[in-house]
Amino acid sequence: MYRTFKVNSKQALRQRTGTDGYQPKFLVDEGKYFLKVQCKLSGEYMDDWRVENIASRVGTSLGFNIIKQNPCNVILTEGRFERQLKGVYSVNFEQLGLKYRSFESIVNTVGIETKRNEAFIKMSNTDKMRWMASLIAKTTFITYNEYLDYLIKTAIIDIIVGNADRHTRNFGVVFNSNTQKDEIAPIFDCGMGLFEHDIWIKHNADFETALSQLYIEPYSEDPIRLLHDIDKDFGIKSKLRKNLYKLDISPNIFPSKKAYKYYKLILKELGC
């Protein structure tokens, strides 16, 4: 039985710590929880809430520092109307004294950006990871190896669920007000995956076409190639198999047969 939250659209957060999104977002239970409601694209509600839940299950199984996303029912009031929707809720880590700082906001303070940075665009996938880790190491107290590990783990989750929306505003660091130091941010915002990020791909594209249109940001690379590149440079496959073998997610939890087929393909690529 899913927990139910009742919210008013007027209370939606317009911006969440520097990261935008299509999903209405709310702080509920006096700020204890952070609630994300189903994404709406081209007039249709997507099943991104399922993707968030699957990603958090996978990350937890792998032992990653990932936000646990709990499925829930949502009664959303919009003017005189109420909508029965789905969503996910998670602990609001800002109540624990953690303030999120996106990668983009950090590098912008030193006059660097990624979108129009030709040198960054031309880098290989793993060189992009090394470059980003080196920047964080230079601008925070987080070490190069710590941040590189975080980037690799985030990419692994994004590959497994086909998250196409890992822009530079939804990964970064958290500032701990209790210790007055920056720390590795938990992995979050994984819902634009498993083909729930695009109406046409979800409904009209066959599996091969859908797969060919899927790219993992900020590397602008297809998931299979990115997985192979990361494994070649960092040897991650053997480390993942042991825990992924234990993970049992029912096909019924996935938003579509196409999504489940993608998930099984990635597991096969990992040797599971």
Side-chain angles (χ1 to χ4, degrees):
M1 180 70 69
Y2 290 161
R3 185 171 179 178
T4 298
F5 293 96
K6 188 170 183 178
V7 293
N8 192 300
S9 60
K10 293 181 180 179
Q11 300 169 328
L13 302 175
R14 299 304 170 193
Q15 192 172 7
R16 167 66 173 174
T17 57
T19 175
D20 303 321
Y22 294 103
Q23 308 99 324
K25 302 168 186 178
F26 302 85
L27 292 177
V28 294
D29 275 11
E30 298 182 346
K32 183 178 180 181
Y33 298 116
F34 182 61
L35 170 68
K36 293 176 70 173
V37 184
Q38 279 178 281
C39 172
K40 188 176 183 181
L41 294 177
S42 301
E44 178 179 340
Y45 286 100
M46 309 297 280
D47 281 329
D48 53 301
W49 65 279
R50 292 182 182 272
V51 186
E52 292 277 13
N53 177 242
I54 291 168
S56 71
R57 289 187 183 205
V58 171
T60 300
S61 177
L62 291 172
F64 293 176
N65 180 21
I66 189 168
I67 296 292
K68 183 179 180 182
Q69 301 288 357
N70 306 283
C72 61
N73 297 309
V74 180
I75 301 174
L76 177 64
T77 300
E78 296 178 304
R80 294 176 297 155
F81 302 98
E82 284 189 349
R83 299 184 187 277
Q84 307 283 333
L85 300 171
K86 297 291 186 181
V88 288
Y89 70 98
S90 57
V91 171
N92 176 19
F93 59 72
E94 290 188 347
Q95 282 207 335
L96 304 176
L98 304 178
K99 180 68 175 179
Y100 176 70
R101 299 173 62 207
S102 72
F103 176 82
E104 183 176 287
S105 68
I106 293 170
V107 298
N108 283 351
T109 62
V110 292
I112 296 174
E113 61 177 19
T114 57
K115 287 186 178 180
R116 289 180 290 275
N117 187 329
E118 291 189 14
F120 175 78
I121 294 169
K122 292 178 180 178
M123 289 178 191
S124 70
N125 300 318
T126 51
D127 280 346
K128 287 178 180 177
M129 290 182 171
R130 294 184 181 97
W131 181 79
M132 289 189 290
S134 67
L135 277 176
I136 291 297
K138 290 175 182 176
T139 53
T140 72
F141 288 106
I142 297 171
T143 69
Y144 170 86
N145 287 332
E146 286 174 332
Y147 207 75
L148 181 61
D149 181 67
Y150 164 71
L151 291 173
I152 292 170
K153 288 177 177 177
T154 302
I156 288 168
I157 295 297
D158 289 340
I159 290 167
I160 292 175
V161 299
N163 179 25
D165 194 38
R166 184 65 62 191
H167 51 75
T168 54
R169 294 189 303 278
N170 63 17
F171 67 92
V173 306
V174 288
F175 178 75
N176 189 327
S177 62
N178 300 309
T179 63
Q180 294 294 300
K181 291 182 179 179
D182 287 316
E183 299 174 358
I184 297 292
I187 300 170
F188 68 97
D189 233 348
C190 307
M192 293 290 95
L194 295 176
F195 311 122
E196 293 299 309
H197 66 289
D198 186 283
I199 289 287
W200 182 84
I201 289 176
K202 177 178 180 177
H203 293 303
N204 302 112
D206 58 47
F207 180 74
E208 294 301 326
T209 301
L211 186 61
S212 71
Q213 298 295 312
L214 183 58
Y215 291 88
I216 306 299
E217 297 298 339
Y219 310 102
S220 298
E221 186 59 86
D222 74 83
I224 305 298
R225 173 64 183 275
L226 181 58
L227 179 60
H228 289 174
D229 287 349
I230 295 174
D231 183 57
K232 179 182 176 182
D233 281 19
F234 305 117
I236 50 96
K237 286 187 179 181
S238 60
K239 300 175 184 177
L240 298 176
R241 291 188 191 113
K242 182 178 179 181
N243 288 327
L244 284 174
Y245 269 124
K246 302 175 185 177
L247 184 62
D248 183 22
I249 303 180
S250 168
N252 296 331
I253 294 176
F254 286 77
S256 66
K257 292 181 179 178
K258 190 187 300 182
Y260 186 65
K261 185 175 181 179
Y262 171 81
Y263 172 73
K264 297 297 287 185
L265 172 64
I266 297 300
L267 291 190
K268 182 178 179 180
E269 290 290 334
L270 286 167
C272 299

